[in-house]
Amino acid sequence: MLSLSTISVLVLALSGGVSAFPAHASLAGYSREELDAIIPTLEFRAPTLPPGPINDTSAKLVNDKAHPWKPLRRGDIRGPCPGLNTLASHGWLPRSGVATPAQIVTAVQEGFNMENTIAIFVTYAAFLVDGNVITNQLSIGGKTPETGPDPPKPAIVGGLDTHAVFEGDASMTRGDAFFGDNHSFNETLFDEFVDFSNRFGAGKYNLTVAGELRWQRIQDSIANNPTFSFVSPRFFTAYAESTFPINFFIDGRQSDGQLDLTVARGFFKDSRMPDGFFRASKPMGADGIGNVAAAHPIPPGRNVGLANYVPDPTSANFSSFCLLYTNFVNQTIRSLYPAPTGILRKALNTNLDFFFDAIPAGGCTQVFPYGQD
Ligand code: HEM
Ligand SMILES: *[C@@H]1O[C@H](CO)[C@@H](O)[C@H](O)[C@H]1NC(C)=O
Ligand SMILES: *[C@@H]1O[C@H](CO)[C@@H](O)[C@H](O)[C@H]1NC(C)=O
Ligand SMILES: *[C@@H]1O[C@H](CO)[C@@H](O)[C@H](O)[C@H]1NC(C)=O
Ligand SMILES: *[C@@H]1O[C@H](CO)[C@@H](O)[C@H](O)[C@H]1NC(C)=O
Ligand SMILES: *[C@@H]1O[C@H](CO)[C@@H](O)[C@H](O)[C@H]1NC(C)=O
Ligand SMILES: *[C@@H]1O[C@H](CO)[C@@H](O)[C@H](O)[C@H]1NC(C)=O
């Protein structure tokens, strides 16, 4: 059965012209008939190889003359990731908030010194579930605009705001989708970030604070969100993201692992680097993730009703990393694209190859949900 929203998308797609299917909206979840109507209206951009590592991986000025912070313009998109929001607001990514996966890999490497294989793995995971593989575009948000002086335009489908495929529950500074807004900066939650930094970090956010705050956010969702889900991939991204402020928001010339809270607010709330900001001094990923998880271990699982957290033994965990990859491809992606054909299948397969190639050689066995060619 077609829902009202898919019918309106279809009408848009068929009418062509000014209000065509958005080039950065995901094609996930549409029926064969809908895809047959939408895809011919889109400009096909073949996937390009993900960028390799950068040559110069030293700390350097990234809030520079060529990358000044600018406020949002009408229509600019921002979303749940303060890292990507900041790169867009400094022009390391297109300020519109819509980018190709290759642009995202380059931007996180150049702007923050994110390590190459991690940058590719995370970017292509997000792109496969939330991006448009025909136009090769990904929205870092999903609504346009998030804030700004102008009246909001209608929401569009897809992008990183899409709940439960990449965006997930128990974020540090964003609410759970269950409570309505899953992507905007939430002052109350940031106050908690500050409170925990005061209590466990003497006024700074560090790895000790990260372990305590991560646990608090999980406990909060267990107690208050009956739909709380904390299985792979969210199980991994939640712990990884707890380390990112330490690994990427601390100036690369500073090596003590203590993040200033004014600096943190700039990134989380305003998508803004401090004046004179230097990126990390070496390629970084989720360094410290083990410390965060070990502070208060909990198995992957979900609430079955309020305050009733039930472990899910079929989810990947820290001792079964390949299951993260396998389930993501064989379950998550396949459920979004049950039976792709033509250029859609080809584009999915190429991007699935890029995604798999980011896993250290010999680490896992590749899965081919749509055949091999
Ligand atoms: C490589 C491509 C990246 C993608 C596709 C991506 C995507 C995302 C998404 C979808 C979320 C929301 C998850 C959620 O809380 O529900 C998120 C959160 C987050 N990201 Fe990124 N991200 C990327 C790189 C980065 C980088 C380079 C940084 C740091 C410079 C960063 C910092 C963060 C932080 C701190 C959060 C947690 C926000 C919170 O819990 O309040 N990300 N990211
Ligand atoms: C990195 O170094 C290699 C080998 O020296 C060179 O071919 C390549 O062009 C360099 N890349 C950039 C982005 O400077
Ligand atoms: C995420 O938040 C946006 C904006 O508030 C909302 O439109 C969207 O429905 C939310 N997604 C889910 C799955 O709750
Ligand atoms: C922010 O988060 C708090 C705590 O979860 C919640 O009570 C509040 O409604 C949220 N505020 C907004 C504007 O979403
Ligand atoms: C975090 O800060 C607190 C207070 O200064 C300190 O006791 C703790 O060792 C710090 N943790 C890390 C990992 O730096
Ligand atoms: C992690 O998952 C594996 C494989 O599913 C399972 O055998 C193992 O017991 C789990 N480990 C923990 C600590 O939950
Ligand atoms: C992927 O899923 C299919 C269908 O459920 C199943 O037959 C196949 O064994 C799965 N492959 C892997 C590697 O899990």
Side-chain angles (χ1 to χ4, degrees):
M1 198 188 76
L2 291 181
S3 70
L4 199 63
S5 66
T6 56
I7 289 173
S8 53
V9 163
L10 254 187
V11 170
L12 285 178
L14 294 168
S15 69
V18 283
S19 50
F21 188 85
H24 53 277
S26 168
L27 294 165
Y30 290 103
S31 69
R32 170 71 54 79
E33 292 71 26
E34 290 167 325
L35 291 171
D36 285 347
I38 295 165
I39 291 174
T41 71
L42 298 173
E43 188 183 339
F44 178 61
R45 293 264 172 79
T48 58
L49 271 179
I54 49 178
N55 290 339
D56 171 8
T57 57
S58 60
K60 67 169 193 183
L61 181 69
V62 285
N63 188 1
D64 58 5
K65 284 230 158 55
H67 301 92
W69 181 86
K70 289 187 187 172
L72 295 179
R73 302 159 309 184
R74 180 187 176 87
D76 286 350
I77 296 172
R78 298 293 180 268
C81 175
L84 299 180
N85 288 351
T86 299
L87 291 168
S89 286
H90 281 271
W92 284 102
L93 279 173
R95 292 180 188 269
S96 64
V98 175
T100 68
Q103 283 176 317
I104 293 177
V105 171
T106 297
V108 298
Q109 294 186 154
E110 294 283 357
F112 281 120
N113 220 347
M114 188 178 242
E115 192 276 328
N116 179 246
T117 58
I118 293 166
I120 294 176
F121 190 77
V122 176
T123 300
Y124 282 83
F127 178 61
L128 277 159
V129 294
D130 292 335
N132 186 314
V133 296
I134 295 294
T135 61
N136 206 32
Q137 303 261 292
L138 173 66
S139 152
I140 67 170
K143 272 183 93 178
T144 165
E146 182 188 333
T147 58
D150 300 306
K153 293 178 183 172
I156 48 148
V157 263
L160 288 184
D161 282 350
T162 310
H163 184 59
V165 285
F166 197 102
E167 187 281 326
D169 293 332
S171 307
M172 292 180 286
T173 68
R174 270 75 176 159
D176 290 2
F178 174 75
F179 302 117
D181 186 338
N182 48 38
H183 71 277
S184 300
F185 175 81
N186 179 312
E187 188 64 52
T188 310
L189 293 177
F190 191 75
D191 286 348
E192 192 172 76
F193 184 98
V194 169
D195 178 49
F196 271 63
S197 300
N198 286 332
R199 282 163 58 197
F200 298 100
K204 308 282 182 189
Y205 181 83
N206 67 23
L207 268 184
T208 308
V209 178
E212 298 307 319
L213 182 62
R214 167 75 5 253
W215 181 239
Q216 160 64 22
R217 296 297 300 126
I218 293 167
Q219 293 306 305
D220 186 7
S221 289
I222 290 176
N224 297 306
N225 177 358
T227 68
F228 177 51
S229 174
F230 201 56
V231 295
S232 179
R234 182 57 188 154
F235 182 73
F236 293 92
T237 59
Y239 287 106
E241 286 157 15
S242 290
T243 73
F244 285 179
I246 298 160
N247 299 337
F248 297 112
F249 295 163
I250 296 179
D251 192 286
R253 294 163 296 181
Q254 185 188 330
S255 58
D256 61 0
Q258 315 295 315
L259 174 63
D260 179 86
L261 298 178
T262 306
V263 171
R265 174 182 284 276
F267 282 105
F268 277 105
K269 178 167 182 251
D270 301 325
S271 308
R272 188 168 194 164
M273 299 174 179
D275 290 345
F277 183 72
F278 275 47
R279 72 180 185 196
S281 61
K282 59 177 200 291
M284 300 290 282
D287 309 55
I289 189 171
N291 302 53
V292 179
H296 297 280
I298 181 172
R302 62 177 62 74
N303 259 1
V304 180
L306 209 53
N308 183 33
Y309 186 80
V310 178
D312 178 355
T314 68
S315 167
N317 60 32
F318 286 113
S319 36
S320 58
F321 174 77
C322 284
L323 198 57
L324 159 66
Y325 162 76
T326 309
N327 286 351
F328 190 74
V329 172
N330 210 32
Q331 293 173 12
T332 306
I333 294 175
R334 207 211 300 238
S335 72
L336 297 172
Y337 295 100
T341 58
I343 54 171
L344 178 60
R345 172 173 163 273
K346 212 167 159 37
L348 283 168
N349 273 348
T350 305
N351 285 293
L352 282 166
D353 285 345
F354 295 159
F355 179 54
F356 178 75
D357 288 344
I359 301 172
C364 311
T365 307
Q366 189 166 5
V367 184
F368 298 97
Y370 312 125
Q372 273 180 78
D373 54 24

